[in-house]
Amino acid sequence: MSANGTKIQIELKGVSKAYGGVIANKDISLQVPEGKITGLIGPNGSGKTTLFNSIVGYHPIDEGSIAFEGREISTLRVPEIARLGMLRTFQQTRIYKKMNCVENMVISISHRGGGGLAGVFKSAKDAATVERAEHLLEFVGLYSKRKLISGELSFGQQKLLEFAMALMNQPKVLLLDEPTAGINPTLINGLIDRLKRANEEFGVTLFVIEHNMRVIMNLAEKISCLAHGELLATGTPEDIQNDRRVIDAYLGAH
Amino acid sequence: MSARTLDFSVYAVLIAFALAAPFVFPNYTSQVAVMWLMVLMAVTWDMTGGQMGYNSLGNVIFFGLGMYASAVVQIGLVYDVAEYTSAFGAIVVDFNDTQYFTGLVLGIVAGGVVSTIFAIIVGPFMLGLRGPYFAIGTLGLAVAVAELVSGWEYVGGGGGISMPVYPGIAGEGSLVWYILLGLLALSAHLFCRWLYSTQFGLAINAIRDDEDKAEAMGIQTTRYKVVTWVASAFFMGMGGAVFGNMSGFIEPLEVAFPTTTFGIFMVAMALVGGKGTLWGPVLGAILFHVVKEWTWTYLLGWQWVALGAIIIINVVYFQQGILGWAQDKWPRLFGVSVDRGPSETSVEAAE
């Protein structure tokens, strides 16, 4: 429990990661509260995606600890962490491009509980699953494209599909790597609205990397800023906007 | 016509042909039997190659292991295998009908089981390799297995094994192999049709399209990959067991582990027909076999050139294969569509 009574869902303590001589993350400690939207900003190359990769188990960390709901996860691998209920989306959108949208959704159901192989021999057209898939596709506005091969969707639509796939998995936490990058400005408002609704209606904790300041200030309750691999500041959007060090980092002052 | 009716119409046509062929073309029973074997090979190869994106060049391992397993079981039931093989065919063992058919049934089962076990053991290691590394790795494994078997005196080494002779009247044997290979091809295809309709099928498609994403979504990729390869090995092992009996004589390099003929054919057939489609491998295998037999008859001396040309044209200009091309051209026939559903307005709002 933190001071204001919300539970801490992800807690990083002193996380460091270097690629050879390049220090991508240095001694980063931060907390992601449950049921909230937390932002992560920083100039290009400041180590945001590396930090995401560390959290979801994409590579081992050099030092520090990462806890998810109090459980140490820094030694677990990607699929194991995903099955605990922590998913990430990719900066370069990744979907199953030769399958149609509904199939993309159906195979994104939760694989939690370890389970034997028995459940997977259910029909790919299982009515309840398809209905939920279509409902979520409608939620992101892709219902009419549901039978289209997903690789033929526009980039923005693919991002929406990837987001819907993540929701299909019913995660506890969703780590979004630049959800609005490459999406046209009118679609961005719709996406912000859906991110907020996913957070409120489905109770999914969001941890969002974002370059678009308007988006992140609008979305997050708490924002952390990285620069040169180090944590610069954490605070409310107002604090961050007025933080001298953050402004300097973005404008390149020393 | 729904996909289901279409599927069953094609099954009906193929089964009707299969039943009629031995009577209509009695001189070609063996050739058509080999065609069913080719269908079996293409369909089982496509399970990993087409549906899962793991292009194996070593599936002949399962074919050969199945063949040797059945030989050892069939001979071993009646005779000491080491003595039998060391005599290089000089010993002709007389099997009575009961011994022969018991051995044959057990041998075919053993063929499937041994290949399955082998796939379970090597699967987790081999399937850790991706893309071209998996292809080369499986090819290397096939060559290594062939060499090991060549050096194993118990199963006759490079000299091979003469299989027990079918006890019935002349011509009956070839009909039996024909029926068995036809049934194996049909059951493998029905199995695949079912498998691809399940969420398991979606999972291996997901692995094909983006394995990293599949992992990030929590799919136990290794488990799916191994199970798929094992299922493919099971059918291929039984196919090898039947084909060994059909050949009458088996040896490691040309018959059991023919990496440069059947090993390549099974890939080429699936590619020609359209890999990753339910009927592509079947169509590819039938066409490939007909063309192959035709060139062997009329272009003797140039048959390998002709086959090579087909493979090159296929790989360079026509990668999606016949059914893959048809699917791109007439997507609606394959269930790809944009329908103007009730939520059209919400799409407009989102965009």
Side-chain angles (χ1 to χ4, degrees):
Chain A
M1 292 277 176
S2 67
N4 57 9
T6 34
K7 257 169 80 181
I8 300 302
Q9 202 152 26
I10 306 174
E11 183 158 35
L12 275 61
K13 281 185 190 152
V15 172
S16 297
K17 172 74 190 172
Y19 295 108
V22 183
I23 297 164
N25 287 150
K26 192 178 168 198
D27 194 26
I28 292 176
S29 300
L30 58 82
Q31 298 172 333
V32 177
E34 186 176 356
K36 301 279 164 76
I37 303 180
T38 305
L40 183 63
I41 61 169
N44 288 324
S46 60
K48 305 183 296 296
T49 299
T50 301
L51 192 64
F52 262 33
N53 285 337
S54 299
I55 295 173
V56 299
Y58 196 73
H59 49 51
I61 53 174
D62 300 337
E63 271 170 59
S65 83
I66 302 170
F68 175 60
E69 296 183 329
R71 176 181 173 182
E72 180 65 31
I73 57 165
S74 59
T75 53
L76 299 183
R77 292 190 55 249
V78 174
E80 295 167 321
I81 292 173
R83 288 195 291 276
L84 291 177
M86 175 149 66
L87 283 196
R88 65 91 59 87
T89 64
F90 292 87
Q91 201 169 351
Q92 303 297 329
T93 305
R94 299 183 94 149
I95 52 172
Y96 310 123
K97 291 195 170 165
K98 288 182 192 157
M99 298 161 72
N100 73 32
C101 295
V102 171
E103 289 169 339
N104 266 277
M105 294 294 285
V106 169
I107 195 52
S108 299
I109 51 162
S110 168
H111 301 269
R112 248 169 280 164
L117 281 169
V120 305
F121 293 118
K122 263 201 289 188
S123 167
K125 295 192 165 67
D126 176 62
T129 317
V130 170
E131 198 189 313
R132 206 159 67 78
E134 293 186 339
H135 179 75
L136 282 170
L137 284 172
E138 194 166 355
F139 175 73
V140 297
L142 289 175
Y143 182 81
S144 67
K145 317 252 181 205
R146 68 192 184 285
K147 288 190 179 157
L148 213 62
I149 299 296
S150 64
E152 288 169 14
L153 297 173
S154 73
F155 181 76
Q157 289 167 337
Q158 291 188 6
K159 283 218 137 168
L160 290 169
L161 175 63
E162 193 187 26
F163 175 54
M165 286 159 70
L167 293 179
M168 188 74 186
N169 199 280
Q170 297 175 303
K172 297 174 186 166
V173 187
L174 195 49
L175 280 70
L176 299 157
D177 198 344
E178 297 197 32
T180 67
I183 295 192
N184 75 57
T186 43
L187 198 58
I188 287 183
N189 289 333
L191 185 64
I192 295 178
D193 171 57
R194 282 174 177 79
L195 289 174
K196 281 186 165 167
R197 278 174 61 196
N199 173 249
E200 286 159 17
E201 292 173 25
F202 306 125
V204 184
T205 305
L206 299 181
F207 189 24
V208 187
I209 292 180
E210 188 53 68
H211 266 303
N212 187 325
M213 284 303 143
R214 183 178 67 81
V215 171
I216 199 70
M217 296 301 163
N218 207 323
L219 202 60
E221 293 176 41
K222 201 183 81 170
I223 296 172
S224 295
C225 179
L226 295 186
H228 305 296
E230 287 177 67
L231 185 67
L232 219 51
T234 296
T236 62
E238 293 76 42
D239 295 342
I240 290 292
Q241 264 174 313
N242 300 320
D243 193 299
R244 192 67 234 166
R245 292 164 302 172
V246 175
I247 296 168
D248 287 348
Y250 267 92
L251 298 179
H254 295 283
Chain B
M1 202 175 348
S2 76
R4 192 185 167 82
T5 349
L6 189 66
D7 283 358
F8 283 102
S9 317
V10 180
Y11 280 129
V13 170
L14 286 176
I15 291 171
F17 171 77
L19 292 177
F23 301 101
V24 183
F25 319 105
N27 298 331
Y28 293 95
T29 310
S30 297
Q31 276 90 333
V32 185
V34 173
M35 185 174 91
W36 299 134
L37 174 68
M38 301 283 241
V39 170
L40 176 69
M41 286 180 157
V43 167
T44 54
W45 181 85
D46 196 59
M47 293 171 76
T48 52
Q51 300 285 342
M52 203 168 76
Y54 275 75
N55 299 305
S56 167
L57 292 178
N59 278 14
V60 282
I61 299 170
F62 308 129
F63 181 69
L65 285 180
M67 202 179 281
Y68 270 96
S70 79
V72 169
V73 168
Q74 285 175 256
I75 295 161
L77 272 181
V78 185
Y79 211 78
D80 183 86
V81 179
E83 255 179 76
Y84 181 90
T85 51
S86 61
F88 290 111
I91 300 177
V92 178
V93 184
D94 241 347
F95 292 83
N96 64 34
D97 284 7
T98 327
Q99 285 171 335
Y100 182 82
F101 288 108
T102 318
L104 183 62
V105 171
L106 290 179
I108 293 171
V109 173
V113 170
V114 167
S115 294
T116 299
I117 293 171
F118 186 77
I120 292 172
I121 295 168
V122 299
F125 301 103
M126 298 307 292
L127 290 160
L129 302 170
R130 290 193 187 181
Y133 300 100
F134 178 74
I136 299 298
T138 48
L139 178 63
L141 191 64
V143 172
V145 170
E147 288 299 327
L148 286 174
V149 172
S150 303
W152 192 16
E153 289 305 327
Y154 177 74
V155 294
I161 309 178
S162 307
M163 295 298 288
V165 181
Y166 186 84
I169 53 164
E172 192 185 300
S174 56
L175 211 54
V176 169
W177 314 132
Y178 178 91
I179 293 168
L180 287 174
L181 289 172
L183 283 177
L184 273 177
L186 179 65
S187 44
H189 194 267
L190 283 170
F191 173 79
C192 287
R193 184 177 179 275
W194 166 76
L195 189 71
Y196 304 157
S197 77
T198 65
Q199 292 178 10
F200 187 100
L202 292 183
I204 59 175
N205 287 166
I207 290 169
R208 171 196 66 196
D209 285 358
D210 192 333
E211 190 167 346
D212 289 331
K213 173 71 176 177
E215 279 194 357
M217 294 300 286
I219 296 177
Q220 281 138 324
T221 51
T222 307
R223 200 185 279 191
Y224 284 89
K225 289 189 289 186
V226 174
V227 169
T228 309
W229 211 30
V230 162
S232 153
F234 176 66
F235 284 108
M236 200 72 270
M238 291 195 293
V242 176
F243 188 71
N245 279 286
M246 187 174 159
S247 312
F249 173 76
I250 66 178
E251 56 79 54
L253 299 178
E254 299 284 320
V255 184
F257 302 101
T259 41
T260 51
T261 54
F262 281 140
I264 298 298
F265 292 169
M266 58 175 92
V267 185
M269 293 183 293
L271 291 182
V272 167
K275 70 173 188 171
T277 61
L278 182 62
W279 289 102
V282 179
L283 179 67
I286 293 173
L287 281 179
F288 189 89
H289 187 65
V290 170
V291 170
K292 180 174 152 293
E293 290 298 312
W294 187 83
T295 52
W296 248 253
T297 313
Y298 298 102
L299 286 174
L300 199 63
W302 289 88
Q303 74 271 40
W304 292 108
V305 178
L307 281 186
I310 291 175
I311 294 174
I312 289 170
I313 291 169
N314 183 210
V315 169
V316 177
Y317 298 106
F318 202 58
Q319 288 186 3
Q320 72 273 57
I322 297 167
L323 285 190
W325 170 80
Q327 196 165 337
D328 285 351
K329 196 156 168 67
W330 300 289
R332 271 168 206 285
L333 276 180
F334 296 83
V336 181
S337 63
V338 195
D339 68 18
R340 301 278 146 199
S343 72
E344 197 56 26
T345 45
S346 80
V347 177
E348 239 83 90
E351 292 178 346

